[in-house]
Amino acid sequence: PVRSAVVNNSGGRITKIFAGWVTWLRDEVVVPNLGEKDGRRLLPMFLSLFFFITFINLLGMIPGGLTATASVYTAAGLSTITLILMVVGGMFVQGPIKFWLSLVPSGVPLALVPMLFVLEVLGLIIKPFALTMRLMANMTGGHLVLLSFLGLMFFFGQHNSATVGFAVSPLVVGMSVFMMIIEGFVALLQAYVFTLLSAIFVGMCLHPDH
């Protein structure tokens, strides 16, 4: 249904909303960074990353739910997908030998080539590591702030009196609701940032000249 909505502008309201997201990600995120041919070829992968991260982030906001991306294992698994696309995709498009040779810019003095090659290989690993830490830290940080707000009324109630705890509870609840709204925005923003950076990193490996 979403594919038909993108192609034919058909379907219901929910379908058109998803079609709008798909079209925006294709035209503004994937294709500009990977090119028309490779962008359309890898579009389903990046769409899967975006919607998967978005939905599991939002599921973590449900009472009793858990945010899977706050776990280093989930974040690292998603980043590993990006790393595989970078290396395998780069070797597929450029060729295995040219991919590794292109890591070192042309015109570099021969004596510096070994050092630069090692640094560039490390860079391939550091980029997914940065994705992992960014996603995990942002999703964990929001929950910690929310728990800190909720803990204020228990703190005042325990160290002062139950009356004080109840007195500050409206302010605490208001701050917590505001934080939940912010977390909803952060959940969507982190999915976008992860997908955008992944597209940029993969595009750099597929087309280093650009």
Side-chain angles (χ1 to χ4, degrees):
V2 175
R3 177 181 175 84
S4 299
V6 173
V7 176
N8 303 319
N9 194 27
S10 59
R13 180 179 301 176
I14 302 298
T15 303
K16 287 185 177 181
I17 290 175
F18 279 103
W21 280 104
V22 169
T23 303
W24 177 72
L25 288 168
R26 180 193 66 192
D27 296 341
E28 302 296 332
V29 176
V30 179
V31 171
N33 289 293
L34 280 79
E36 185 73 22
K37 180 180 178 181
D38 295 321
R40 290 185 176 276
R41 182 185 299 170
L42 294 175
L43 178 63
M45 184 69 251
F46 289 102
L47 291 177
S48 299
L49 280 177
F50 176 80
F51 286 113
F52 178 77
I53 295 174
T54 298
F55 285 127
I56 60 176
N57 286 349
L58 294 177
L59 286 175
M61 299 176 59
I62 300 175
L66 296 174
T67 303
T69 48
S71 168
V72 66
Y73 301 107
T74 303
L78 294 170
S79 299
T80 301
I81 295 175
T82 299
L83 177 62
I84 293 173
L85 286 175
M86 291 167 60
V87 177
V88 177
M91 290 193 295
F92 180 81
V93 172
Q94 299 185 60
I97 298 177
K98 186 178 179 181
F99 169 76
W100 295 106
L101 291 177
S102 66
L103 293 178
V104 180
S106 58
V108 174
L110 188 61
L112 297 178
V113 169
M115 181 181 67
L116 288 178
F117 180 79
V118 172
L119 291 176
E120 292 295 336
V121 171
L122 289 175
L124 289 176
I125 302 173
I126 291 172
K127 289 183 178 71
F129 178 76
L131 287 177
T132 300
M133 301 308 297
R134 177 190 295 271
L135 181 60
M136 181 193 69
N138 279 284
M139 298 314 302
T140 303
H143 292 340
L144 291 177
V145 173
L146 180 60
L147 290 174
S148 299
F149 285 159
L150 292 174
L152 287 175
M153 58 183 174
F154 298 105
F155 175 82
F156 285 113
Q158 181 178 1
H159 288 79
N160 294 278
S161 65
T163 303
V164 176
F166 282 113
V168 300
S169 60
L171 177 61
V172 169
V173 171
M175 293 168 62
S176 300
V177 171
F178 175 75
M179 191 61 205
M180 288 290 288
I181 296 173
I182 296 297
E183 274 212 275
F185 171 73
V186 171
L188 185 61
L189 178 63
Q190 290 307 311
Y192 164 71
V193 170
F194 190 97
T195 306
L196 175 63
L197 291 178
S198 295
I200 292 174
F201 294 158
V202 174
M204 291 170 61
C205 291
L206 265 58
H207 308 289
D209 295 336
H210 299 161

